[in-house]
């Protein structure tokens, strides 16, 4: 029943009108911020990190944020294509280039190809509407546009790693710098025009787990009967979901399976699987597989299952010291959407003396690692780009051993800093966010941080820090995790003087253990101790990854919110 409005005689009339007055002001403000409003390039460019460059880029005349955004993204695709052709031209020089330069240029070509894919897909979507996109679609496109910046920066970092001031590298630096600005402008305009200011999509549940906490069928048999009995069955059964496997191959070194190495099994997988088809399962039996594995973008929705940590082991020893780029030093690299790995160990055995030596490089969107181990020293786990989730994994390393610029949540994992070279310190994370509009960051949630056996038993005074800012907008959060006494009371360490100390975002929330005391933490402007649950929720699997949209189909257990 509607209630009647009643105003006492003593209340002045202007007081009665105040709510209506403020409502009209709000409406006026909303109208002024209307993204369809026509404005000049100078007016729209103030919302980007590079206003002058943006103004020089956009055409004369007036448009709205959608017109400018489409122009910028289309320009980004055109420039990526030009850059790709330039790289091809340099690579045709072949023997006149050093091995390290060729390796860096090949990385750049590969990453630029990915950028062209991301931009082509983005253009198709932004051309469909001149309004704010639904949350899931906006997050997906913002993820892609964030990744093109990361890919271009990785190209630049690789060229710098060569250490040579050749005509090739010098000739590319100016182009890369302008590309970075262009991609940043595209991301800023997309964020302003198409990304909702508040996420309205809400998950339907907060926790998923396997039935009985394990795989529902035995993976130990090496006979053809496994192939016949498993084909078409439901695997990784969760409380509410079942994961369909439409085909399976077995990798076994004794010749009893379909393949004797992992690479051949990947090559045999069908290309461009759709998520509705289910997973192509590669069962890798116990053994040590000494091979550098790469899963290309066409091999989507692969499910790779081993016999357990320290049972199924993939190992390699590439390193920067031995002439590889950090990007291409990985023992195991994946870029294919929807990849899932379970019960495996990934190693890089180059050792601390070889510096950057990656065990796993992950640039696969909506990828998941469950009950896996990552073993290395410097740069062990390269969470390169896009959206990633790790659950109940072990990560071993020394310097910057969880690094990259993905949107990534590590949940219920064990993090083991180990003994570095003499004179070195340990930094658990080195997050590489380079732009304020990137939706990237590292969230370490409900994990345990303890010294590895070699560090725990040593008599050295090795200092271990939560992280340091690899790039200007580095973003890392530790939440509800146990930190043992090895963590330096300062918590965080500088990268280079005052670099990024005011632009980074480092935060801690409700951690426990002797290393979690924040009383003596650094007082940089970008460091925070989160007090509000509302703020902490932003870094959970449900909010940071919108994981409820894709994690259930992996069958991997997860907690969507805080514990």
């Amino acid at each position: 029943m509607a209630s009647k409005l009643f105003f006492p005689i003593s209340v002045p009339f202007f007081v009665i009108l105040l709510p209506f007055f403020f409502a009209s002001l709000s409406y006026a403000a909303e109208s002024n911020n209307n993204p369809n409003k026509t404005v000049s390039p100078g007016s729209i460019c103030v919302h980007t990190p590079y206003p002058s460059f943006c103004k020089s880029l956009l055409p004369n005349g007036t448009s709205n944020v959608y017109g400018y955004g489409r122009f910028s993204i289309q320009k980004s695709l055109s420039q990526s294509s030009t850059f790709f052709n330039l790289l091809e031209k340099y690579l045709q020089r072949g023997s006149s280039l050093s091995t390290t330069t060729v390796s860096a240029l090949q990385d750049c070509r590969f990453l630029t190809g990915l950028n062209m894919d991301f931009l082509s897909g983005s253009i198709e979507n932004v051309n469909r509407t001149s309004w704010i996109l639904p949350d899931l679609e906006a997050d997906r496109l913002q993820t892609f546009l964030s990744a093109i910046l990361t890919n271009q920066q990785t190209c630049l970092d690789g060229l710098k790693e060569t250490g040579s001031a050749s005509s090739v590298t010098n000739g590319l630096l100016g182009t890369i710098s302008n590309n970075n600005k262009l991609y940043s402008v595209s991301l800023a305009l997309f964020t302003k025009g198409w990304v909702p200011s508040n996420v309205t999509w809400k998950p339907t549940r907060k926790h998923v787990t396997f039935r009985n906490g394990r795989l529902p069928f035995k993976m130990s048999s090496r006979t053809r009967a496994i192939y016949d009995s498993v084909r078409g069955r439901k695997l990784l059964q969760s409380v509410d979901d079942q994961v369909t496997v439409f085909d399976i191959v077995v990798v076994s070194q004794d010749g009893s399976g379909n393949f004797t190495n992992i690479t051949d099994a990947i090559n045999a997988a069908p290309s461009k699987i759709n998520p509705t088809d289910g997973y192509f399962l590669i069962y890798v039996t116990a053994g040590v597989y000494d091979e550098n594995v790469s899963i290309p973008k066409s091999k989507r929705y692969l499910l790779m299952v081993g016999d357990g940590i320290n049972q199924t082991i993939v190992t390699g020893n590439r390193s920067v010291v031995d002439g590889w780029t950090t990007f291409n030093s990985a023992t195991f690299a994946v870029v294919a959407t929807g990849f899932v790995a379970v019960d495996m160990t990934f190693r890089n055995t180059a050792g601390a003396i070889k510096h950057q030596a990656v065990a796993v490089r992950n640039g696969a969107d909506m990828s998941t690692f469950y009950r896996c181990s990552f073993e290395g020293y410097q740069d062990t786990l390269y969470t390169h780009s896009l959206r990633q989730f790790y659950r109940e994994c072990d990560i071993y390393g020394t310097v910057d051993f969880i690094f990259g610029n993905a949107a990534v949540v590590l949940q219920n994992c064990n993090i083991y800093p180990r003994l570095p070279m003499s004179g070195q310190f340990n930094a658990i994370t080195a997050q590489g966010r380079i732009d304020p509009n990137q939706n990237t960051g590292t969230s370490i949630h409900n994990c345990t941080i303890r010294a590895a056996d070699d560090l725990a038993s040593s008599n050295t005074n090795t200092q271990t820090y939560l992280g340091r800012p690899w790039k200007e907008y580095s973003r890392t959060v530790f939440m509800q995790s146990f930190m043992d006494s090895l963590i330096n009371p300062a918590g965080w360490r500088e990268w280079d003087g005052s670099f990024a100390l005011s632009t980074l975002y480092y935060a801690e929330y409700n951690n426990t253990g002797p290393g979690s005391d924040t009383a003596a933490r650094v007082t940089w402007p970008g460091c925070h101790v989160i007090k509000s649950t509302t703020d902490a929720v932003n870094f959970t699997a449900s909010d940071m990854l919108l994981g409820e949209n894709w994690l259930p189909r992996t069958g991997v257990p997860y907690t969507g919110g805080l514990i």
Side-chain angles (χ1 to χ4, degrees):
M1 182 175 62
S3 59
K4 294 182 179 179
L5 293 175
F6 173 74
F7 300 113
I9 280 282
S10 58
V11 177
F13 189 66
F14 78 87
V15 174
I16 299 171
L17 293 179
L18 280 177
F20 302 97
F21 173 72
F22 285 118
S24 65
L25 284 180
S26 176
Y27 175 80
E30 185 177 347
S31 299
N32 288 335
N33 289 326
N34 181 359
N36 280 290
K37 182 179 179 181
T38 299
V39 295
S40 67
S43 297
I44 201 67
C45 286
V46 298
H47 300 286
T48 73
Y50 301 101
S52 297
F53 176 85
C54 172
K55 189 175 179 181
S56 69
L57 166 75
L58 297 180
N60 292 327
T62 59
S63 184
N64 58 27
V65 66
Y66 300 107
Y68 291 130
R70 291 187 188 101
F71 177 88
S72 180
I73 295 171
Q74 184 65 58
K75 182 73 172 178
S76 295
L77 176 59
S78 174
Q79 188 58 36
S80 291
S81 179
T82 300
F83 187 58
F84 186 90
N85 292 334
L86 179 61
L87 293 167
E88 289 277 27
K89 178 182 175 183
Y90 280 130
L91 282 167
Q92 287 173 3
R93 296 184 182 182
S95 59
S96 66
L97 302 174
S98 69
T99 301
T100 54
T101 299
V102 169
S103 181
L105 289 173
Q106 288 173 336
D107 289 349
C108 289
R109 179 176 59 183
F110 171 76
L111 292 162
T112 304
L114 293 178
N115 282 354
M116 292 164 67
D117 290 342
F118 294 149
L119 287 162
S120 295
S122 299
I123 287 169
E124 290 180 12
N125 284 269
V126 299
N127 281 343
R128 292 186 190 132
T129 182
S130 293
W131 200 249
I132 291 171
L133 290 169
D135 295 328
L136 297 178
E137 188 175 359
D139 184 67
R140 182 174 64 89
L141 295 183
Q142 189 177 17
T143 296
F144 291 165
L145 294 175
S146 294
I148 66 170
L149 268 167
T150 301
N151 288 343
Q152 186 78 119
Q153 183 64 45
T154 303
C155 166
L156 176 61
D157 291 342
L159 290 170
K160 289 180 176 178
E161 276 181 2
T162 65
S164 61
S166 67
S167 60
V168 172
T169 54
N170 289 338
L172 290 173
L173 294 182
T175 301
I176 292 173
S177 175
N178 283 335
N179 284 357
N180 271 339
K181 292 178 182 178
L182 174 57
Y183 299 156
S184 178
V185 168
S186 296
L187 176 59
L189 295 178
F190 174 81
T191 302
K192 181 168 178 57
W194 283 274
V195 176
S197 56
N198 295 302
V199 175
T200 56
W201 180 81
K202 295 298 180 184
T204 57
R205 56 204 157 168
K206 286 292 183 181
H207 183 78
V208 175
T209 184
F210 291 158
R211 289 195 181 110
N212 302 320
R214 58 184 175 81
L215 297 171
F217 81 109
K218 298 183 74 173
M219 298 291 288
S220 57
S221 174
R222 292 175 172 82
T223 65
R224 180 75 178 185
I226 285 187
Y227 182 94
D228 295 331
S229 65
V230 170
R231 193 171 182 178
R233 286 180 54 184
K234 305 289 189 177
L235 306 182
L236 299 173
Q237 298 179 21
S238 66
V239 172
D240 300 302
D241 296 274
Q242 293 182 321
V243 176
T244 300
V245 169
F246 71 86
D247 214 344
I248 178 172
V249 294
V250 177
V251 180
S252 182
Q253 291 177 323
D254 64 7
S256 63
N258 304 96
F259 303 98
T260 58
N261 66 76
I262 298 170
T263 298
D264 285 347
I266 293 168
N267 291 338
S271 296
K272 298 182 179 179
I273 300 170
N274 293 314
T276 53
D277 296 333
Y279 286 94
F280 183 86
L281 190 150
I282 300 174
Y283 167 40
V284 187
T285 63
V288 178
Y289 296 83
D290 189 354
E291 55 180 307
N292 289 88
V293 177
S294 180
I295 303 179
K297 64 184 180 182
S298 62
K299 304 295 183 176
R300 302 185 305 197
Y301 296 100
L302 297 188
L303 170 59
M304 190 174 291
V305 180
D307 274 329
I309 289 176
N310 293 329
Q311 298 299 311
T312 298
I313 301 167
V314 188
T315 186
N317 62 0
R318 292 177 178 175
S319 69
V320 168
V321 169
D322 287 337
W324 301 91
T325 60
T326 299
F327 184 80
N328 222 6
S329 69
T331 298
F332 191 94
V334 56
V335 295
T337 298
F339 176 76
V340 180
V342 181
D343 291 337
M344 299 181 68
T345 289
F346 306 94
R347 287 179 181 160
N348 190 312
T349 60
I353 197 170
K354 293 299 181 73
H355 297 282
Q356 298 98 321
V358 175
V360 166
R361 187 193 81 230
N362 186 3
D365 196 29
M366 298 183 291
S367 56
T368 309
F369 286 78
Y370 175 52
R371 295 191 313 217
C372 290
S373 180
F374 308 88
E375 301 176 10
Y377 288 85
Q378 183 172 346
D379 292 0
T380 302
L381 176 56
Y382 194 174
T383 58
H384 180 263
S385 55
L386 304 170
R387 295 168 289 188
Q388 309 177 15
F389 182 72
Y390 299 76
R391 171 83 177 202
E392 296 172 35
C393 292
D394 299 336
I395 306 104
Y396 296 82
T398 56
V399 180
D400 307 334
F401 64 96
I402 301 172
F403 77 112
N405 194 24
V408 54
V409 174
L410 295 95
Q411 191 174 92
N412 294 30
C413 293
N414 297 307
I415 298 173
Y416 294 111
R418 62 197 307 184
L419 186 65
M421 290 193 298
S422 177
Q424 283 188 328
F425 59 86
N426 287 333
I428 295 172
T429 65
Q431 206 282 327
R433 186 166 171 254
I434 61 174
D435 189 281
N437 290 302
Q438 287 182 304
N439 61 351
T440 55
T442 299
S443 174
I444 295 178
H445 183 205
N446 195 32
C447 294
T448 298
I449 304 168
R450 286 195 172 95
D453 290 344
D454 59 350
L455 179 59
S457 61
S458 72
N459 294 320
T460 63
N461 188 30
T462 300
Q463 299 300 304
T464 298
Y465 298 88
L466 298 176
R468 58 182 186 147
W470 181 28
K471 303 298 181 183
E472 189 173 3
Y473 293 93
S474 183
R475 179 158 63 180
T476 304
V477 178
F478 286 78
M479 305 194 302
Q480 299 179 313
S481 294
F482 174 85
M483 302 178 182
D484 214 342
S485 57
L486 77 163
I487 301 299
N488 185 289
W492 309 88
R493 184 171 175 122
E494 302 90 343
W495 183 273
D496 183 13
S498 61
F499 170 74
L501 301 189
S502 60
T503 50
L504 61 79
Y505 182 90
Y506 287 167
E508 300 174 62
Y509 173 75
N510 277 9
N511 298 302
T512 60
S516 67
D517 187 355
T518 59
R521 290 292 195 253
V522 294
T523 57
W524 307 337
C527 284
H528 309 273
V529 176
I530 296 176
K531 303 293 185 182
S532 167
T533 300
T534 303
D535 293 337
V537 163
N538 292 326
F539 303 99
T540 60
S542 288
D543 284 53
M544 188 169 182
L545 304 179
L546 296 189
E548 303 286 353
N549 182 52
W550 57 275
L551 282 174
R553 69 169 170 262
T554 70
V556 171
Y558 67 93
T559 300
L562 298 169
I563 58 173

